[in-house]
Structure formats: C-alpha cells, structure tokens
Amino acid sequence: MCCGIIGVLAIDGGSVAHVIRESLKRLEYRGYDSIGVATKYNGRLYIKKDKGKIDEIHRKLNLDALPGDIGIGHTRWATHGEPSQVNSHPHTDCKNQIAVVHNGIIENFLELRKELIERGHKFKSATDTEVIPHLIESFIEDGYTLEDAVQSTLAKLHGTYAIVVLYSHLKKLICARKESPLILGVGERALYCASDIPAFLPMTNKVLFLNDGDLAILQGGEIQLRRIQSFSSPIQIRKPVLIDWTPEMAQKGGMPHFMLKEIHEQPKAVQNTLRIRTEEIDRLVKLLNEANEIILTAAGTSYHACLYGGYLFAKLAKINSQQIISSEFSEKIGETLTDKSAILAISQSGETSDTLNAINYARNYGAKISAITNVVGSSITRSADYFIYTLAGPEIGVAATKTFLVQITTLALLGLTLAEIRGILNNSEVQDLRQQLFNIPKLIEQVIEKREDSIKVTADLLAHKPNFLFLGRGINTPTAMEGALKLKEISYIHAEAYPAGESKHGPIALIEPDFPVVFIAPQDNTFDRIVGNIMEMKARGARIISVTDSRKIHDLSDHTFWVPKGVPDIFTPLVNIVPLQLFSYYSAVRRNHNPDKPRNLAKSVTVL
Ligand code: F6R
C-alpha cells in the first residue's frame, strides 16, 4: 500500500540504473517523500538516495550514472522515521555489502535493533527496515548462504513486508513477501520484482504473482521459488500471466480512478492502522486523560472524524469533549484555554493551514497539543507535542476516503484505551470490543464486494437529481455529514446533512415528491426514532435511500445499501460510510466528472 520497490537483473549484462529510475517514476503514486537506488558492480555496492521527488533527486545526483547490471530501488512513503537522506532506502549492513528495500512495517524492530546493537552492529537510520540488512549480515557471518540468511532473517520478523535484497558478491536478487505486495516480471532481457505492475510494464507484460509467504531467487535468467516458512526444496514455479493494461491503468490497479482504488484499499488501510503500537496509543491517551478539557479540531472530512471522536469518547469513556472546525477555532474558544487543555488536531495531510493555525493559537495558552496525521514529517508533527501516524499509505484522489477511515479507526483505538484506564470498561469488555474492531476490515471488504454493483445502479438512477438530504442520528450523524460532503465535492450535486431529529425544524420544508433523502439507519438505540423520521419523510413523498442492516428499514426504503449485521454500535460508522463513498464516486462518474480532481479543490489546503 505504501512505498514502491523494484529490483532489476539484466540477463544480458546491460546497465540497470536508468531502468530502475524510470520504474520508480511509475511507482511514485505509491509514495513520494524519498527515493533511493543501489546497484552492484565489481564486487561492491553503489548507492544514491535522498529525500524529495525523483526528478529533483535525479537532477541533483544523476541516478543513471550508477554502474552495474543488477540493482534495486525504492520510493518511500515514510512510516518510521522522518523523510531524510539517512532514512531513505536502500538500507545497508555495517560493511555496506547488503542492501535492502522494504515496503511494510516491522513491528518488533525495536527489540531486534537493541539485540543487534548489543552485538556491535552500527545503525545509521531511524527506520524499522534497517534491522533487516544487519540480521542478514549476522547470518552470513555465521556461514549461511545468502538465501538461507534472508530466510532466517524473515523468520525473526513480526509484521508485514515485501523486500528485495542485493548482495555485493553475487549477481542475484532475493525477494519475499508477507502481506505487502510483490510480483515478478519476466522479460526477454531482464527479470524484475516490484510492488506493482506499472514498474516494469513497458518492458514486459509477463507477470508472475507471488503468494503471501513466498521467497523468490532471481539469478541468471532463472527464477526459483521457496516458501519462507520451509527451508526444503524449491516449490514449483507458476506460469506467468499476460497483462493487457496500459501503464496508466496499472497505476490505478486496473481501476478507472484513484478514488475507487483507494475505496477498495480501505480494508487493508484499516488493518494496518489497527497495528499502531499500543505504546503510541497509551501516550496520547495519557495526554488526553490528564487534561481538564479535550478539544478536537480539524477541517472538512477530518472534522467529521472529530465529530465521531466526540460521540465515541462520550459513549465509551464517559468523557465530554468539544469539536471545533479549525477555521473557527480562535473565535469559538476565545480566551478560555489553559495549560490543562488538551487539543487533538486531525489532518490527513498534516499541512492544512486552518488546522495548523488553530494549534498555534492553542499553544499560546500553554495547551497540550496532539495530532493524528497520515503524512510522516508533515508540518503538524512539528507543531504537536505528540502525534500518531495513521497507516493509510498515500492518498492521491483529492476526496478523502481511506484517510477518513483510518482516522476514525485511530479514534476507536484511543476510545477503547480511555475507557479502560478510566475504569468505565473492564479489561475483558475492552478485549471483546477490540476483537470486534479487528473484524471490521473483513466487513468493509464484504460491503465493497457484495454491494458495489447495486450502489452503482442506484447512482446511475439518481445522479441527475439536483439536491440530496442526508440524515443520521447519534454516532452516525457524522457519517451523514461525511456522505453529503463526498457527494457534493465530487459530483457537484447539492447535498446537506443534518441530525435526523433536526430535520423537522426546517429542512423538511424542502421535501416534495421524489426528493432523495439518505438515511443512515443501523439497529442501535436510535432505531425507533429514525424509523419515525423516515415515516415523516415518506409522508411527504421523499425517495428514501437507506444504509442499514435492518429489514424493517429496507421495507420502508426505495433503495437499500445493505451493511452487515452485528457491528457494535460505536463502530458502525466505519462500515456505514463505505456505501456512501461508492455512491458519490459512481454519481460523479455518471455525471462525467473526474472524481480524482474535483474542481476548485486541492489535496492540501495551505491558505487561510
Ligand atoms: C474532503 C477533503 C477535505 C479535507 C480537508 C482537511 O474529501 O478531502 O475536506 O478533509 O481539506 O484536510 P486535512 O485532513 O489534510 O487537514
């Protein structure tokens, strides 16, 4: 999901540096904060890497000048360690003989790093990846072959990885994957391994897909496959598949737009975010729990995440909090902040000026500042006392989709810990809810798999409507607001959201026959009242679209976006927002708008 990796072995002995650079350019959509290339020539490794975009770095360092007919490359989306020269991949061992590029997260890297340092290894970076070349080095020192050293190293890692290993003494690439993507390309003149097809598509369309747990050895013109878990003999090589995508289609995973690809990536993004280290959650919870007041602040979609956080903290941990739109922060909060106030700012980009401004305002009063962001090293991380990174990977589509889901996932993790340390829930209740939270990625996947087609049909039918009303209650009020924002920003259909109970205080005046009203209606404690709201709208001829797990609501609706039953009330927004994202996407497409680049909007808004 985040970071792009590539390995190239030229069978014909041609030089590979420019091939690697061009491949990285085509993988830039997977990450773009740093770039690095390593090649092997005459028994030594040559490495160039730095922070920044590939074209800039190439202008500065001339990547194509690296010598050799075998090499690896990496385009980074930071998860551990700020974007910087030393943190850029490839990472090497003490003797600069082993270079590794990695995509994924090594969860036990701190323990491994400590052990290696005690045994005399010298580390240069703050990354989780660097433990890998050092571990391989130590196994090679113990007399292992390169492939056995890699395999033994992988056996020690907890977490996720796709790696490619280059060794100064052999014209051989070892690559392996566990829960991160890695595929092989079989060309006439070269073999490739990469995170994704666009990396090598102009050179070959013959793709060999690796299974989770596979390790591949590329040498000469040959590929050998093994299972990481077993040192026994090689497994049978699968037949390459012929791909008929254009490189542009391939960048979007064969999907027509990044937004759709990113909606489909949500199960994985949530799963990754659920892996945020407990210590990180605990530290932020401590900061919030010690405060006299908690204020969540953000803009746009991230503000909707704040609203979710407000309901969640109250319901789960009995904590009252305020949520303030960042551009209103100073006006709304006035001079009331103290050094006992805790601010939790949420921003996927970490660069939104309104949010940074709110933080700076709060800092003047000595308030404690924490942040949730998806971009490592972004400005918000420098303004906050403490921050957590969500793990969605880069989001290219301007409309926030997967970054919203990972924000509310992080809030759910914070809420559970807050509830436990405040004694509102006991440990087994928390564990039970945590278990159910960990099941959410599967449920999101089900919604996408089973419901996408029928949502598209509904969008095709309703995309000509000029106005929509979105209504929800309780913790799904923010879901309604986010659903309406998505629809208006990419399809340019006017959409408004309200708490359903508020609709009778004004918005109901808009309703005339066939006016579309979207209800988010799970079977929670608000159910009977939302049924009442649906009846009020139906009585005026509204066309009802519902996101629900209830047959009763389905029977009252003109269109139903089904979601799975049995999700704990507090987590339903994680599932309920997904059909609304798809509905917005297909409405925009139906109206011939490009959902990836809505007019007048930018991915990060750096003006006040
Ligand atoms: C909506 C959207 C915007 C952003 C807002 C804040 O799809 O993308 O509303 O949510 O501009 O951006 P961040 O989260 O980067 O601070």
Side-chain angles (χ1 to χ4, degrees):
M1 171 156 323
C2 42
C3 298
I5 64 179
I6 171 86
V8 182
L9 182 156
I11 305 164
D12 63 3
S15 76
V16 293
H18 70 287
V19 181
I20 294 174
R21 176 181 58 78
E22 284 162 13
S23 300
L24 289 176
K25 181 81 191 150
R26 289 187 294 273
L27 287 179
E28 218 176 9
Y29 72 94
R30 302 180 60 84
Y32 42 78
D33 64 43
S34 338
I35 289 286
V37 180
T39 55
K40 164 194 127 55
Y41 182 67
N42 264 352
R44 58 166 287 209
L45 296 183
Y46 293 80
I47 299 181
K48 291 186 180 181
K49 58 182 192 174
D50 209 347
K51 161 184 156 177
K53 295 243 167 88
I54 186 150
D55 291 339
E56 272 161 51
I57 293 169
H58 179 49
R59 266 195 302 278
K60 203 163 73 180
L61 303 178
N62 188 9
L63 297 171
D64 293 359
L66 288 163
D69 55 7
I70 182 166
I72 58 178
H74 189 270
T75 177
R76 181 166 188 244
W77 178 261
T79 54
H80 287 94
E82 292 231 330
S84 68
Q85 205 270 345
V86 278
N87 287 340
S88 310
H89 296 220
H91 290 287
T92 52
D93 63 324
C94 298
K95 299 195 226 55
N96 277 323
Q97 292 182 338
I98 298 152
V100 174
V101 288
H102 166 224
N103 167 28
I105 299 162
I106 307 301
E107 287 161 1
N108 59 337
F109 83 100
L110 285 174
E111 298 90 289
L112 294 170
R113 187 180 161 105
K114 189 163 166 272
E115 268 173 41
L116 286 158
I117 289 173
E118 280 164 12
R119 281 167 28 211
H121 287 260
K122 299 268 181 291
F123 278 75
K124 299 176 270 261
S125 77
T127 63
D128 52 343
T129 304
E130 200 183 343
V131 296
I132 302 175
H134 287 282
L135 281 170
I136 298 172
E137 175 183 29
S138 70
F139 283 113
I140 286 183
E141 279 168 1
D142 290 346
Y144 286 57
T145 62
L146 178 63
E147 32 279 64
D148 288 351
V150 172
Q151 210 160 1
S152 304
T153 295
L154 297 178
K156 284 174 118 22
L157 305 181
H158 301 164
T160 61
Y161 52 77
I163 58 160
V164 193
V165 180
L166 176 69
Y167 183 40
S168 57
H169 295 341
L170 295 170
K171 187 176 170 185
K172 190 185 262 194
L173 291 174
I174 315 271
C175 49
R177 65 164 291 200
K178 181 181 165 228
E179 292 178 42
S180 290
L182 193 69
I183 48 172
L184 305 181
V186 186
E188 296 283 312
R189 297 164 55 190
L191 296 177
Y192 308 87
C193 51
S195 305
D196 207 350
I197 295 167
F200 51 69
L201 196 55
M203 282 81 74
T204 180
N205 67 345
K206 278 193 196 165
V207 179
L208 206 152
F209 290 94
L210 293 178
N211 290 335
D212 229 20
D214 278 351
L215 177 147
I217 302 158
L218 279 51
Q219 187 172 27
E222 303 283 308
I223 297 172
Q224 212 191 85
L225 282 190
R226 288 187 186 181
R227 296 293 295 161
I228 296 168
Q229 293 303 334
S230 97
F231 280 76
S232 59
S233 51
I235 55 172
Q236 205 179 357
I237 200 95
R238 290 175 284 273
K239 245 178 100 108
V241 175
L242 292 184
I243 299 288
D244 59 1
W245 290 347
T246 63
E248 207 213 328
M249 279 163 78
Q251 286 190 334
K252 294 172 188 156
M255 300 206 181
H257 297 102
F258 280 109
M259 182 179 175
L260 188 60
K261 174 169 175 263
E262 286 155 5
I263 291 172
H264 278 251
E265 282 172 353
Q266 293 184 123
K268 187 76 187 162
V270 171
Q271 201 179 45
N272 282 341
T273 298
L274 288 170
R275 290 203 169 98
I276 292 174
R277 295 167 69 86
T278 319
E279 303 89 88
E280 293 185 45
I281 297 289
D282 290 351
R283 271 184 67 186
L284 206 152
V285 161
K286 184 163 180 288
L287 189 146
L288 298 178
N289 197 40
E290 284 171 356
N292 284 354
E293 61 170 349
I294 299 175
I295 303 156
L296 293 98
T297 188
T301 291
S302 300
Y303 171 67
H304 298 149
C306 292
L307 293 177
Y308 169 75
Y311 282 96
L312 183 87
F313 290 177
K315 278 177 180 282
L316 209 54
K318 298 197 178 162
I319 298 181
N320 186 28
S321 63
Q322 287 193 67
Q323 302 82 41
I324 304 181
I325 287 184
S326 294
S327 56
E328 287 293 310
F329 191 86
S330 58
E331 292 297 320
K332 181 91 195 291
I333 206 78
E335 311 248 314
T336 61
L337 293 170
T338 70
D339 61 359
K340 295 273 183 300
S341 311
I343 310 296
L344 176 53
I346 304 183
S347 171
Q348 71 78 23
S349 64
E351 302 295 346
T352 300
S353 297
D354 286 326
T355 309
L356 296 174
N357 227 26
I359 290 180
N360 290 338
Y361 182 85
R363 183 171 295 294
N364 289 334
Y365 292 85
K368 303 284 176 301
I369 316 285
S370 57
I372 296 175
T373 183
N374 195 46
V375 181
V376 170
S378 55
S379 302
I380 209 167
T381 63
R382 290 189 288 279
S383 307
D385 300 307
Y386 187 65
F387 49 84
I388 287 187
Y389 291 125
T390 52
L391 299 169
E395 190 173 67
I396 311 284
V398 164
T401 52
K402 61 177 179 170
T403 54
F404 174 67
L405 271 198
V406 296
Q407 288 169 348
I408 61 177
T409 303
T410 309
L411 289 164
L413 289 171
L414 292 172
L416 286 174
T417 307
L418 270 170
E420 186 170 6
I421 63 165
R422 291 169 69 87
I424 311 296
L425 295 179
N426 64 34
N427 184 266
S428 90
E429 290 165 323
V430 169
Q431 288 318 324
D432 179 48
L433 280 171
R434 193 179 292 275
Q435 203 62 42
Q436 302 200 55
L437 182 59
F438 275 70
N439 198 33
I440 297 279
K442 232 176 32 218
L443 302 182
I444 298 173
E445 205 165 272
Q446 275 174 23
V447 172
I448 299 172
E449 244 170 51
K450 290 198 192 156
R451 309 296 170 207
E452 183 168 355
D453 291 348
S454 66
I455 293 170
K456 178 178 182 307
V457 171
T458 310
D460 285 347
L461 204 72
L462 300 182
H464 66 284
K465 295 271 181 194
N467 297 295
F468 274 71
L469 187 60
F470 283 69
L471 300 175
R473 274 187 177 263
I475 203 158
N476 277 291
T477 300
T479 315
M481 297 177 82
E482 178 56 11
L485 177 63
K486 282 291 88 84
L487 187 65
K488 85 179 108 188
E489 70 178 331
I490 60 167
S491 72
Y492 319 142
I493 296 171
H494 173 239
E496 276 198 79
Y498 274 90
E502 187 67 7
S503 57
K504 59 186 174 296
H505 297 290
I508 200 164
L510 291 168
I511 304 304
E512 53 186 15
D514 221 29
F515 189 108
V517 183
V518 180
F519 278 93
I520 295 89
Q523 301 191 60
D524 63 9
N525 60 319
T526 68
F527 186 73
D528 290 342
R529 277 172 292 153
I530 210 131
V531 169
N533 297 131
I534 294 178
M535 300 305 286
E536 286 158 17
M537 291 293 160
K538 274 183 85 68
R540 280 138 189 107
R543 181 187 280 261
I544 308 295
I545 302 117
S546 60
V547 176
T548 193
D549 57 343
S550 147
R551 182 139 296 273
K552 181 168 176 184
I553 301 275
H554 165 73
D555 290 344
L556 294 173
S557 305
D558 298 285
H559 311 274
T560 306
F561 300 158
W562 284 103
V563 286
K565 279 190 195 312
V567 179
D569 298 353
I570 47 165
F571 301 145
T572 53
L574 279 150
V575 181
N576 290 345
I577 190 59
V578 178
L580 300 179
Q581 296 167 334
L582 287 167
F583 180 67
S584 307
Y585 170 79
Y586 283 111
S587 301
V589 170
R590 177 69 185 188
R591 289 165 70 98
N592 283 326
H593 301 309
N594 178 354
D596 284 346
K597 293 194 172 119
R599 67 185 179 211
N600 308 335
L601 291 174
K603 191 68 188 158
S604 36
V605 182
T606 52
V607 287
L608 288 175

